[in-house]
Structure formats: structure tokens, C-alpha cells
Amino acid sequence: MKIQRRKTAAALLSAVLTVSLANAVLPAERGKAPVVLTASAAADDYPWSTYLKKSSDWFGSSEAIGVADDCIRYQIQNEGGWRKGMATEQTGDWAHSTVDNDATTSQIRILMRVYAKTGQQKYFDCAMRGVECLFKLQYSNGGYMQVLNTPGTYHAHITLNDGAYVHILEIMKEMSTKTGDFTAVSDSYAQRAKQSLEAAIDCLLKMQITVNGVKTAWCQQHDENTLAPAKARAYELPSVCTSESAGVVTFLYKYAQETGRGDIAAAVNAAIAWFKQVALYNIEWVSQGDDKVVVQKQGAGPIWARFYDIDRQIPLFSDRDSSVHYNVAEISQERRTGYAWYGNWGKNVIGLSPLPENGQGGTQTTELQKQEPEYAGEFVKKLVVHDITNGENWSVQENLKVGARIFGDRDFTYAIVPNELAGAEYIRPACNSKTYTGDLAELTAAAPLTVYVMVDTRLSVEQGIKPRWLSGWTNTGMIAASSNTETFEIFARELDADETLTLGSNMTGSGVVNYTVAVVPREVIPDTTTTTTTTTTATTTTTTETTTSETLMPSLRGDVDCNGLVQIADAIMLARYLAEDQIIVTVQGLNNAETTGDNALTAEDSARLLQYLAGVIDGFGF
């Protein structure tokens, strides 16, 4: 039921956010150039990454048990794995078990977590059949294929694509030590996992691409026999690939620290050096109308091309005809806009310190030993950033307004700022900090403050995630928006002078941007006498009785949040309320939301409000 409500909320918001921002105000303010917002509904299949970020308690819920039961239902007979669209019928290669698109590894983890909560053996047994599938996916040389039982196709290649190889490594590592999700496995399984892990790592070391005697990084996929870089889809040619290699480096770096293996350290150090060598500066990869282009910008970077020519070590691009290009502008617009040709995959890699290669490992803490950046403002007494890698792109800024930059590592600006936050002091975080899994920062107040956190609406509406550290905060119903057409819902809480507040994780970096923070000084009202308190209580009671009166008339039709304006935020608030999302609307707001005159709140009221905001109608006619 909760999933269906989220899908309903997402569908309603998809309609809401296609309304022009310029039309999302009172009629007197209409006529400005439109900026269109869009939002998509929930994923067609199972949102594995969202499930795996849920709290431990969720895996004992009826929703999680339902997902686990579906895993049992859709497990492929005689293979043990799952299709990448688990409940979607497939033919040909994709009808077989795969680790593409987080398949199989995600189901195994979810089944083990549900088993840990319920103790039901059927979930454990299903997970172990999935583990057996992972063993089947491994070649004798240690590499893992992408799809089971597909010889002679690129699906039979050893694949690093989309982190599939690393996802298996992580499972084998936990199983081998009986930790994490796999504390319940037998000693026999732990031993098999250890053997699989070591063989897979040795295969990785052999696959590392060497150019003129110097090791670089890895391709998206390697030939299952020769281990040489191999072609996959038409536009994915043999090359050195940054996106997949970054995940490999991160895993091997930690493993080398723990084991002290000098051969792994040497491979990692070579990859770090290569990432530094091919980093690109003074350019940006940006949207331009319905196209994407490279633009020159002094001081920008580093960024990386996704693929590099093996021999020339320069960015490589390809089209659906497999043609080779060294300028992204030369490929078709469809491929140029439909693939991630540039990205910041290597930023964390180049921040790693080289590992000792003499076999003395297990004690490296280079990242933790770096200084945590600190910032301050007029009302922010101290901001300590824990995400050291991206910390230099954080700052404390003054005068929050439309046109102000949102992130220190992006050029997005604010397109909508609520009146309550206009002119506020604000924290400009790094957008890349959205991938940091720990608490991002600590904020200490210089005075009594109201702290506002602006969270990408896609996090809660599309992915069903609310950062746990925001529990107890008030959803203000206010909305902010960015120049790249994303919206933020705003939460608030009060902070006393010298009180410290933890700014937690964004929960995910997938398909969303990082949250932002604004602070506004608040007046501290001194304690009143008992008599005054009694009088205030009586007045409040009277007001409540008036508010709940059946004869209450709307103060302004469409003003759902009761701020005196009819805005896009009102449409979003009504859509969430109708979808039974977790949002509080006052009695006055519900009365204002009635736009059809039938004395009932339905989707038709939401549609009428959207028509008004878009200028299709001039009023509500009753």
C-alpha cells in the first residue's frame, strides 16, 4: 500500500511540476519566461538500491516480506539468479540470471536481511540458491560473467559494468568472514566465498590494462578467455573506463589496507596515478537546450571522460555504428544526450594517498588523518565538514536569493526561494557529498536560529526515502527550486545559541542532488506567568473552535499552505495530501483547497488548481 501511495504521489507531482514556474504565482505575476519542471514516477520494476538503504527494522515489515516472497516467486529455476527486470518476462539472453542493473546481488542481500528479522528458513534457502548462482557465474580464471548461459555473446564477457563485479566481491568478502548480511552462513560457504574472492581479485590484477609497460585501469568488460579489453554495446568499445575503474580502485584500496598485499597496493597506486594523468580541467559538460556540449570554463574540473583510447590515452567516443571519435560533438545528438560521456568518477580516487607496496598493510588511515574543513558565518558559529574529499567545495554564504549558486561544485542556481528564507545566511554544500555515507557535517549556532533543510523532492516522492536524522523536524510545506528544474521540500527545527546540530547523510546519491541548508535568527520569547499562559490557552481554544466551524469560509481559494499566495507549493502540497503522503494540512488549508465547489477534495480539485496556476482559467467560478 505504501509503495502504491508513493507512486500515486509521484504521478500527481509529475503533473504538478510540468506547470511553468512563471505561472506558479498569482495572476498579476504571470507572463514571465517559463521554466518547466518535470518529475518521473516510481521505477517500473523493484527499486533495489532504495530497499537496501532502508533501516534494519524495515526488513521485518510486511512490505519487505512481500518483496522477499516475490524474490522466491521469480527466482529462475535451475539457475538460482534473477533477471534484471525481475517480474518482467524476457526472451533470449535476458531471460537468464544476471548481475546487470543490481540484479541477483540485491535479491540475495534482501533475502538475508528478511531472514535475519523473521527467522523463516525459506528466505535463507532462496538466498543460498542465489549465492550458488554467483559461483556459477565465475569462470575458472576468477572473472564473473554478466549473464549466465549466454556463450558467444558479449554477455559472456567478464563484466565490471555498473559495479556488478564489485557488488559480487563485496558479498564474497562478507561471506568469507561471516560478517554483514552473512553472519548466518555455514563455514563451508565461508570457505567457498574466500576462494571465490581471492580468485576474482587475482583476475582483476591480471586484467589491469598495461600501456607501454605502465599499468592504467580497467575496461567495462574483458574477454572471458584472453582477459583483454572487449566490446559490449555498439558504442562501448575496448577502452580504459573511468566509471567502473573508480569502484574497483575503492574496493581494492580497502582490501590492500586490510590484508597488506603489496601486489594489490601496486595495482591501486598505478590506477590512482593514471586517474591523475587523464583528469580534465577548465571544461564542463553541460546541457544546452535539448543537447549536451563541452564548454570552456577557467578553473573548472577535474572531470573525466568515461572512456579513454587505450593507446593514445585521450577521451574516446563512439556512436551506434561503432564509429570512433575523439570529439563528443561528432557523434549523434541521440547518443550525445543519452549516455554519461563525462563525469566526476575519479574525484575520490585522486584524493587517495599511495599505499605502501612492501606488504606492510592494515594500518592505513590516510583519508581520516586529513584535516576536516571548518567554516563560519554571522549566525553559523562553526561548520565542521566530515566529508573531507568534497569539503573544499563547502562554504557559508550570505543573502540567499534567486540566482544564488546552490552548490560549490555545480553551477545550478536557485530559481525559487520562499519569502521566509529570502536574504538568509545559508550553507552552500558540495553536491558530490550526496554520495558520502556518514554524517556530512556539524553545525554550531552563534545565536538562537531556525534551521531549514531543503531536500530534493525526488528522494521522498520517487524513492520513498526520508533521511533518518530529519525525524522530528517540521515539514514546512514550503518549496524551493533550482535552475536545472529540480524542487526541494523544506524541513525546519529550532536551534539554541551554542547548540550543535548534526547534518546527516543524504541517504543516496542516485538520481538526486544533495540537500542544502539555510539559517534564520529567531527571537527568544521569555517565559510568561501562569496567568498569561492560561489566557493564551483559552484564546487558542477559541481559535481552534472557530477554525473547525462548518461555516468557515476560504481566505483565498487555492492557498493550501495559508501563506497568502497561490503558488506551485500549494499544488504540490495538495497532491501529496490526496496521495496520502506524510504531510499535514491545516483545516483552513483544506478549506482553501476546495476549488470545484462540490465540498469534497478530489483529484479534480488538484487539476483545477493546476489549470489556474497555468493560466488556463482565471478563477474557480464559485
Side-chain angles (χ1 to χ4, degrees):
M1 179 62 73
K2 289 182 179 179
I3 293 177
Q4 183 57 46
R5 288 177 181 175
R6 289 182 189 129
K7 288 183 177 180
T8 303
L12 283 166
L13 283 175
S14 180
V16 169
L17 296 179
T18 56
V19 177
S20 160
L21 289 180
N23 289 334
V25 294
L26 289 172
E29 296 183 42
R30 293 176 183 158
K32 299 177 183 177
V35 180
V36 177
L37 300 180
T38 60
S40 60
D44 292 334
D45 204 67
Y46 295 76
W48 302 117
S49 62
T50 298
Y51 292 153
L52 291 174
K53 292 181 176 71
K54 297 286 189 182
S55 66
S56 174
D57 290 341
W58 181 82
F59 291 93
S61 68
S62 59
E63 184 179 5
I65 291 170
V67 172
D69 287 337
D70 285 349
C71 291
I72 295 175
R73 175 185 177 189
Y74 292 112
Q75 190 171 35
I76 299 175
Q77 295 296 318
N78 303 319
E79 290 186 354
W82 290 266
R83 295 180 292 269
K84 68 175 182 178
M86 186 173 79
T88 304
E89 290 297 328
Q90 299 281 355
T91 59
D93 291 357
W94 291 120
H96 294 286
S97 302
T98 182
V99 287
D100 193 42
N101 282 24
D102 299 335
T104 300
T105 52
S106 296
Q107 285 94 334
I108 290 170
R109 285 193 178 277
I110 286 169
L111 286 161
M112 290 301 292
R113 293 180 191 182
V114 172
Y115 168 71
K117 285 295 183 182
T118 65
Q120 293 193 44
Q121 189 67 28
K122 64 178 182 178
Y123 300 125
F124 180 85
D125 292 343
C126 186
M128 290 303 101
R129 291 193 293 272
V131 170
E132 289 291 346
C133 180
L134 296 184
F135 290 142
K136 294 175 187 176
L137 286 166
Q138 189 169 34
Y139 290 110
S140 58
N141 59 21
Y144 300 106
M145 65 186 78
Q146 183 187 51
V147 183
L148 192 64
N149 296 326
T150 55
T153 72
Y154 81 80
H155 298 304
H157 288 328
I158 297 171
T159 184
L160 280 63
N161 198 25
D162 292 336
Y165 201 103
V166 171
H167 292 162
I168 303 176
L169 291 179
E170 290 168 340
I171 285 179
M172 294 303 171
K173 184 174 182 293
E174 289 180 34
M175 284 186 63
S176 68
T177 55
K178 300 176 70 169
T179 57
D181 292 330
F182 300 94
T183 57
V185 302
S186 66
D187 291 343
S188 174
Y189 266 112
Q191 182 59 33
R192 291 175 67 189
K194 181 176 175 61
Q195 294 170 352
S196 177
L197 174 67
E198 291 178 349
I201 289 176
D202 288 343
C203 185
L204 274 178
L205 300 186
K206 294 174 184 176
M207 290 190 299
Q208 190 170 15
I209 300 168
T210 300
V211 180
N212 297 325
V214 178
K215 290 185 179 294
T216 59
W218 291 264
C219 188
Q220 277 188 331
Q221 52 282 313
H222 290 253
D223 186 274
E224 63 272 26
N225 297 307
T226 67
L227 304 186
K231 176 182 176 181
R233 290 177 289 189
Y235 48 87
E236 295 173 328
L237 304 180
S239 58
V240 191
C241 180
T242 52
S243 58
E244 276 66 29
S245 293
V248 171
V249 170
T250 300
F251 180 88
L252 291 181
Y253 191 93
K254 294 178 181 177
Y255 195 76
Q257 288 178 317
E258 295 168 359
T259 63
R261 283 183 54 175
D263 56 343
I264 299 177
V268 168
N269 289 343
I272 293 172
W274 179 80
F275 268 93
K276 291 179 179 178
Q277 173 191 332
V278 299
L280 304 171
Y281 294 88
N282 301 320
I283 65 168
E284 289 187 330
W285 175 236
V286 300
S287 296
Q288 195 172 86
D290 58 356
D291 205 348
K292 296 202 75 172
V293 298
V294 173
V295 297
Q296 300 292 321
K297 182 177 180 181
Q298 190 65 31
I303 64 171
W304 287 261
R306 182 158 191 163
F307 304 120
Y308 284 79
D309 183 283
I310 293 175
D311 296 321
R312 300 174 64 183
Q313 295 296 291
I314 60 175
L316 172 70
F317 311 94
S318 186
D319 222 320
R320 288 194 180 274
D321 60 358
S322 295
S323 55
V324 175
H325 302 271
Y326 298 105
N327 185 336
V328 71
E330 295 175 357
I331 65 175
S332 65
Q333 182 179 356
E334 179 271 330
R335 275 299 79 203
R336 195 162 53 245
T337 59
Y339 200 71
W341 294 107
Y342 289 93
N344 59 5
W345 304 289
K347 187 166 185 179
N348 290 342
V349 172
I350 65 173
L352 297 172
S353 298
L355 292 168
E357 299 178 16
N358 57 4
Q360 302 300 314
T363 59
Q364 300 299 312
T365 56
T366 52
E367 281 297 289
L368 297 177
Q369 291 170 350
K370 292 182 180 179
Q371 186 70 30
E372 292 185 331
E374 293 188 10
Y375 304 96
E378 180 181 358
F379 302 113
V380 175
K381 184 175 183 179
K382 183 167 68 172
L383 176 71
V384 180
V385 181
H386 300 319
D387 177 14
I388 298 172
T389 301
N390 298 296
E392 64 183 12
N393 288 319
W394 286 62
S395 62
V396 177
Q397 300 285 327
E398 60 182 18
N399 192 20
L400 178 60
K401 61 182 179 179
V402 171
R405 279 181 62 192
I406 301 176
F407 302 110
D409 54 354
R410 299 288 193 280
D411 284 338
F412 309 148
T413 58
Y414 287 98
I416 290 180
V417 174
N419 291 336
E420 291 84 347
L421 303 186
E425 185 170 280
Y426 65 103
I427 294 172
R428 179 186 291 164
C431 188
N432 285 342
S433 289
K434 65 184 181 177
T435 63
Y436 190 76
T437 56
D439 294 333
L440 297 190
E442 301 285 337
L443 183 159
T444 302
L449 302 174
T450 299
V451 181
Y452 296 90
V453 172
M454 293 169 269
V455 181
D456 191 332
T457 54
R458 293 173 295 179
L459 198 67
S460 62
V461 174
E462 294 182 26
Q463 302 190 34
I465 299 174
K466 178 181 176 181
R468 290 186 290 272
W469 58 278
L470 285 174
S471 177
W473 289 56
T474 300
N475 189 331
T476 65
M478 296 188 295
I479 293 290
S482 68
S483 59
N484 66 321
T485 71
E486 306 304 345
T487 56
F488 301 82
E489 55 183 341
I490 303 177
F491 299 86
R493 64 156 287 180
E494 293 184 348
L495 200 64
D496 293 331
D498 294 317
E499 185 179 356
T500 297
L501 170 68
T502 297
L503 300 175
S505 166
N506 195 61
M507 297 300 290
T508 182
S510 177
V512 298
V513 295
N514 197 17
Y515 64 82
T516 65
V517 182
V519 298
V520 176
R522 61 182 175 85
E523 181 182 357
V524 178
I525 302 175
D527 292 337
T528 57
T529 64
T530 303
T531 303
T532 304
T533 302
T534 302
T535 303
T536 303
T537 302
T539 302
T540 303
T541 303
T542 302
T543 303
T544 302
E545 291 172 354
T546 302
T547 303
T548 57
S549 169
E550 294 181 359
T551 60
L552 181 68
M553 295 299 292
S555 57
L556 180 61
R557 294 284 182 198
D559 182 18
V560 184
D561 59 10
C562 301
N563 71 344
L565 298 171
V566 181
Q567 301 170 301
I568 193 70
D570 297 298
I572 293 172
M573 197 171 188
L574 178 56
R576 290 182 60 187
Y577 176 81
L578 291 173
E580 299 182 43
D581 197 9
Q582 293 183 355
I583 190 169
I584 298 174
V585 182
T586 65
V587 174
Q588 180 67 61
L590 293 175
N591 205 59
N592 293 350
E594 167 54 46
T595 61
T596 59
D598 61 0
N599 294 319
L601 283 181
T602 66
E604 189 175 347
D605 292 287
S606 184
R608 290 275 289 173
L609 181 52
L610 287 172
Q611 289 175 333
Y612 175 77
L613 291 170
V616 176
I617 60 175
D618 292 327
F620 301 112
F622 72 97

